[in-house]
Structure formats: C-alpha cells, structure tokens
Amino acid sequence: MLSLDLSFYNWELFTSYILKGLLFSVQLTVIATLGGIVFGTFLALMRLSGKPTLVYPATFYINTMRSIPLVMVILWFFLLIPMLIGRPIGADLSATITFIAFEAAFFSEIVRAGIQSVPKGQAYAAEALGMTYGQNMRLIILPQAFRNMIPVFMTQTIILFQDTSLVYAIGAYDLLKGFEIAGKNYGRPIETYILAAFTYFIICFSLSKVVRKIHTKVAIIR
Amino acid sequence: MIELRNVSKWYGSFQVLTDCSSSIRKGEVVVICGPSGSGKSTLIKTINALEPFQQGEITVDGVPLHDPKTNLPQLRARVGMVFQHFELFPHLSVTENLTLAQMKVLGRSADEANKHGLKYLERVGLLAQKDKFPGQLSGGQQQRVAIARALSMDPIVMLFDEPTSALDPEMVGEVLDVMVKLANEGMTMCCVTHEMGFARKVSHRVIFMDQGRIVEDCSKAEFFDHPEARSPRAKEFLSKILAN
C-alpha cells in the first residue's frame, strides 16, 4: 500500500522552491506567446503575400519547426548558439529565444487561418477607400482576424505553458524543476510530483474555462 | 471623366471582359445591366483598379490606371464604391466606419472627419444610429451607412456594385431613395443594378453587357423606348425584366 506523507505541503515549500519556478514558467509562457504572435504574424503575412521570395522561406521555416520535436529544438538551440557566437548563453535566455522561434511557427498558422477567416470583401472595401496594404492589414484585417482567433490563441498558450516543462532538458529552473528539487530535498519525490501534476491541472483547467467564457464574448456580430 | 478603351481581362485562359470601351461624363448617371456572369461587376471593379486588367486603357479624371506608376490608393480615395454586401467594418462603430479612412487616408483631423461623416450620416437619415455597430443595423441601414462612408471621402464619382441585390425586398426602396437623391444632386454615378425602375427614373445612359462584352451603350430613352432597335440578346433581357 502506498503511504503518502503530505506534511511538508506548506508555505515554505512554495516560497523556497515552487515560486521561483512558477514565475519563470509564467514569464516564459507570456514572452513566448507575445513574441510568437508578433513573429508569427510576419510569417503569416509572408506566406500570404503571393511573392515566391517571401512565401518559400516562410513555408520552409514553419514546416521545419512543426516537424521537429520541441525538446530537440530546445537542446539544439542550447548547444548550437554558443558554437555560433563563441560564448555560452544561459539556459533561461536560450529557452526564451527557442520558445519564441518555435511558437512563431505555430502562431503563424493560427494567424493565417484568422486572416483567411475575414471575408475578402473587407479588404476590397478598405482598398476602395484608398487604404494602403499596410493600413488595410493593421486597421481592418488583423483586428478582425485576431478577434476571431483569441480562443485559439489562448488554447495554444495553455499548451505552451505545459510545454515549458521541457526546459528540464537544458536545466532551466521552471515550475516542474521546482517540484523536482523540493522532492529531492524532502526525500519525497512521489508526493511532490503529485502536487506538480495537480498544480499544472488547476492552472490549465481554469485557463480553459476562461477561454470558453471569452469565446462567446468576443465573437463579432456581422 | 472616366474613359475605358478596349479593356480586356482574363482569369487564366477564361476571358471575362472583351474589348470594353465606354466613357462617363461628369454628372452623368450610367446604369450597367445584363445577365449574371456577363462581367458587369468585374467591369465596375476595374474602374477603381480593384480588379486588374491585362489589356486596354482606363483613365479616371485624367489619371491612367494602366500605368504602373499610378498611385492606386490615392486614386481610389477619390472614387467612392458601394458593394453588394455593404462591407462595413464590423469591429468599428458606425461613426468610426465613417471617419477612419478620412483620417488615415485624407489626413483629416478627428473633429473634421466626425463633422463631415455625421453630415452624410444625417443625409442618409441615420444620425441616430451613429454609435451602433454594423451588426446591430438592418441590411438597408447598413447599405445607407456604406453610401455615407463613401460620400464622406468627397469622391468625384460613385460606383455601385449591385447595391440592392443582397437586401430584403422591403429595404430596397430606402437605399434607392438615397441613390436617386444623389443622382438628382448631380453626382457622377455608375451603377451595376437590376433595378430598371431606378434606371428609367434617373439614369442618362444604359450599358448592357453579355458574355464580357458591351452589347448596348445608348441613352435611356433609346434603350427603353425603342427595344426593336436593340440587339436580340438585349431584347430578350428587356422583355423578361420588363414583364414583371
């Protein structure tokens, strides 16, 4: 029979081990989401530009990123960049750059679908009013595309939050790492991993509840 | 004001416009009609270069569209266009719909754009709806806002691409009323429409298209009052459309 000792589940566990990791995981998630959306939007615009010199590089990048397991990208990046620039970069910075680069590929596909979900007539109307391509995108198409895509963005962000645990591969101190170290120090790995699973569940489950609420609120009335 | 010379357009190997030539003078109201798929919507969209064409020449107020050096956004800002499906911007309020392009394209101040936009909103009788969103308006109201939006750019010509085709029958009248008023004020207009009543009432000329060609281009009187002098295809169209 499995006997669990939960006596060390207390505030001290949280402040000395978990908090630091939680902050890093959240920070990584937020930065990678924002960075991913910005770069993903550029990739999406490149793919939709119809100009071969823009379409092919973007398509190549997106397909490559989407076909390689994230943990490999994390590892490769961590090992390759120091070789390229001649000095080591920290695990935190490496993880941040990797996640932005990786998420850009996924967000670009979401943005692309979002742009295509806006009726063609909207672009015509903006053009007919004399707007340039840039104004059209910035003022008319992207605001509608992003509104349509908010639920999907958030779902992707939840997945991203879970994926941040993969930075264990390069030894960065994230939420999972916090639990792992606490488990070692207290000599209670099973209990800490149970708590870790529970923590991830609570965070992700409540976020998906929020997504559902938002979904009905942001829909544009046409 | 608008000159079309031998305009031809292909989608791949399929030719949608063949040698279309015509001209529209200042203050003239021209109705383009014809069976569906005859190229009328495509033709009207070439006039503000929303649809590219491969052969021929179009000049609008002296500006050549076929010249690659022409600044198309600048030209389009001076040509008003109203679409079949209204195409108001659903994420913006009615007022924002009216003012956005005035500010971003014409560089007007927010105050000026507001004043100007609301003046036209009042003229289409919808001032009370200024803070609503397009989705809260009926189709007829949306189309009237769309007309006001185009007018607030002070266009030199207004293009209408089947402005009443997507409307419930009972809303057609309110949109046509606005168009009639506009025509009577001397606005240069080019309208793709099936509303023959409108054509009879206010148009000066009727262009009839079939299979991508301009088959008839004559005065309203000639078109409606002397059907015997028309081409067989136009005669057939007229007899069908005037029967009901």
Side-chain angles (χ1 to χ4, degrees):
Chain A
M1 181 62 203
L2 184 67
S3 70
L4 297 175
D5 174 9
L6 304 180
S7 62
F8 68 96
Y9 281 18
N10 56 34
W11 190 242
E12 200 206 324
L13 166 76
F14 181 74
T15 51
S16 36
Y17 297 98
I18 313 305
L19 184 60
K20 183 184 168 201
L22 178 65
L23 287 179
F24 179 69
S25 288
V26 169
Q27 180 197 326
L28 185 57
T29 305
V30 171
I31 293 177
T33 300
L34 296 178
I37 289 176
V38 171
F39 287 106
T41 303
F42 282 110
L43 285 170
L45 292 177
M46 284 169 77
R47 266 197 108 166
L48 292 171
S49 67
K51 297 194 177 74
T53 48
L54 296 176
V55 173
Y56 289 120
T59 309
F60 175 77
Y61 180 84
I62 292 163
N63 286 341
T64 309
M65 281 298 183
R66 282 161 55 98
S67 341
I68 301 177
L70 176 55
V71 68
M72 261 184 72
V73 183
I74 294 171
L75 266 176
W76 270 110
F77 216 80
F78 188 59
L79 299 172
L80 269 179
I81 294 296
M83 283 174 69
L84 287 175
I85 63 171
R87 60 189 171 82
I89 57 170
D92 290 8
L93 182 59
S94 177
T96 307
I97 297 172
T98 310
F99 268 90
I100 292 175
F102 190 80
E103 290 303 321
F106 283 84
F107 278 116
S108 80
E109 291 294 273
I110 298 173
V111 174
R112 186 165 72 117
I115 292 173
Q116 285 170 336
S117 75
V118 178
K120 186 82 181 56
Q122 289 284 305
Y124 268 149
E127 259 184 86
L129 286 165
M131 289 190 204
T132 59
Y133 171 83
Q135 290 174 326
N136 200 338
M137 275 296 159
R138 216 173 57 243
L139 303 168
I140 306 302
I141 306 299
L142 288 179
Q144 294 185 54
F146 280 134
R147 277 230 345 227
N148 292 344
M149 290 296 116
I150 284 173
V152 197
F153 277 145
M154 292 192 63
T155 308
Q156 179 67 22
T157 303
I158 295 171
I159 299 170
L160 169 58
F161 179 70
Q162 295 168 4
D163 284 350
T164 55
S165 59
L166 290 174
V167 296
Y168 82 88
I170 55 172
Y173 198 118
D174 74 323
L175 181 58
L176 187 60
K177 185 83 166 186
F179 282 110
E180 188 195 319
I181 291 179
K184 280 187 184 139
N185 282 4
Y186 287 104
R188 286 281 168 194
I190 294 179
E191 286 85 342
T192 46
Y193 278 131
I194 289 174
L195 190 59
F198 188 69
T199 309
Y200 275 102
F201 175 81
I202 291 293
I203 293 174
C204 295
F205 185 74
S206 19
L207 279 177
S208 17
K209 282 276 171 205
V210 173
V211 173
R212 239 190 253 174
K213 272 255 170 68
I214 286 178
H215 191 71
T216 49
K217 281 214 179 123
V218 296
I220 299 177
I221 330 158
R222 289 193 183 275
Chain B
M1 171 176 282
I2 296 172
E3 287 282 343
L4 292 92
R5 249 167 314 203
N6 300 65
V7 174
S8 295
K9 177 183 171 66
W10 288 262
Y11 283 124
S13 61
F14 178 69
Q15 187 161 10
V16 277
L17 295 176
T18 309
D19 275 340
C20 295
S21 299
S22 189
S23 66
I24 299 171
R25 285 189 306 276
K26 194 171 177 335
E28 207 172 19
V29 177
V30 175
V31 162
I32 304 178
C33 61
S36 47
S38 59
K40 3 181 243 307
S41 281
T42 311
L43 184 70
I44 201 172
K45 284 200 184 91
T46 61
I47 297 179
N48 63 353
L50 282 185
E51 289 278 3
F53 50 96
Q54 285 81 26
Q55 260 177 36
E57 297 176 355
I58 298 180
T59 47
V60 176
D61 199 29
V63 180
L65 295 193
H66 45 275
D67 185 346
K69 286 195 290 273
T70 298
N71 183 332
L72 291 177
Q74 222 169 64
L75 175 96
R76 290 188 191 117
R78 304 170 62 212
V79 177
M81 178 130 197
V82 175
F83 297 86
Q84 184 177 3
H85 295 285
F86 333 133
E87 304 300 352
L88 292 178
F89 305 130
H91 60 302
L92 302 176
S93 74
V94 167
T95 306
E96 288 165 332
N97 264 281
L98 293 167
T99 54
L100 183 69
Q102 287 189 67
M103 295 191 287
K104 300 289 175 181
V105 177
L106 301 181
R108 289 181 181 156
S109 71
D111 269 357
E112 201 184 343
N114 239 312
K115 229 191 210 162
H116 207 67
L118 295 182
K119 182 178 89 192
Y120 283 107
L121 192 62
E122 190 172 16
R123 280 189 36 196
V124 300
L126 291 171
L127 192 57
Q129 321 288 335
K130 68 182 167 68
D131 296 321
K132 289 203 174 152
F133 281 82
Q136 298 169 298
L137 303 179
S138 73
Q141 290 174 326
Q142 287 192 52
Q143 193 62 300
R144 282 148 68 196
V145 173
I147 294 173
R149 177 175 72 178
L151 288 174
S152 41
M153 299 290 285
D154 298 322
I156 52 171
V157 54
M158 286 284 285
L159 308 176
F160 293 85
D161 184 10
E162 303 207 28
T164 56
S165 306
L167 294 173
D168 289 341
E170 53 189 321
M171 291 173 184
V172 171
E174 60 186 83
V175 171
L176 286 179
D177 284 348
V178 171
M179 291 170 64
V180 169
K181 216 166 95 187
L182 205 56
N184 290 337
E185 284 164 14
M187 175 59 85
T188 311
M189 291 164 67
C190 180
C191 318
V192 171
T193 183
H194 294 296
E195 297 295 334
M196 288 302 122
F198 172 79
R200 268 178 190 251
K201 204 156 150 192
V202 296
S203 81
H204 302 110
R205 245 171 56 224
V206 178
I207 290 175
F208 176 79
M209 291 186 70
D210 187 37
Q211 298 185 344
R213 288 171 193 277
I214 293 181
V215 181
E216 301 281 350
D217 185 349
C218 54
S219 73
K220 166 177 71 176
E222 252 181 276
F223 189 78
F224 288 112
D225 302 339
H226 301 283
E228 71 284 351
R230 306 276 70 82
S231 66
R233 189 66 191 85
K235 247 188 257 175
E236 191 192 331
F237 179 81
L238 268 173
S239 66
K240 272 184 197 151
I241 211 154
L242 295 180
N244 44 36

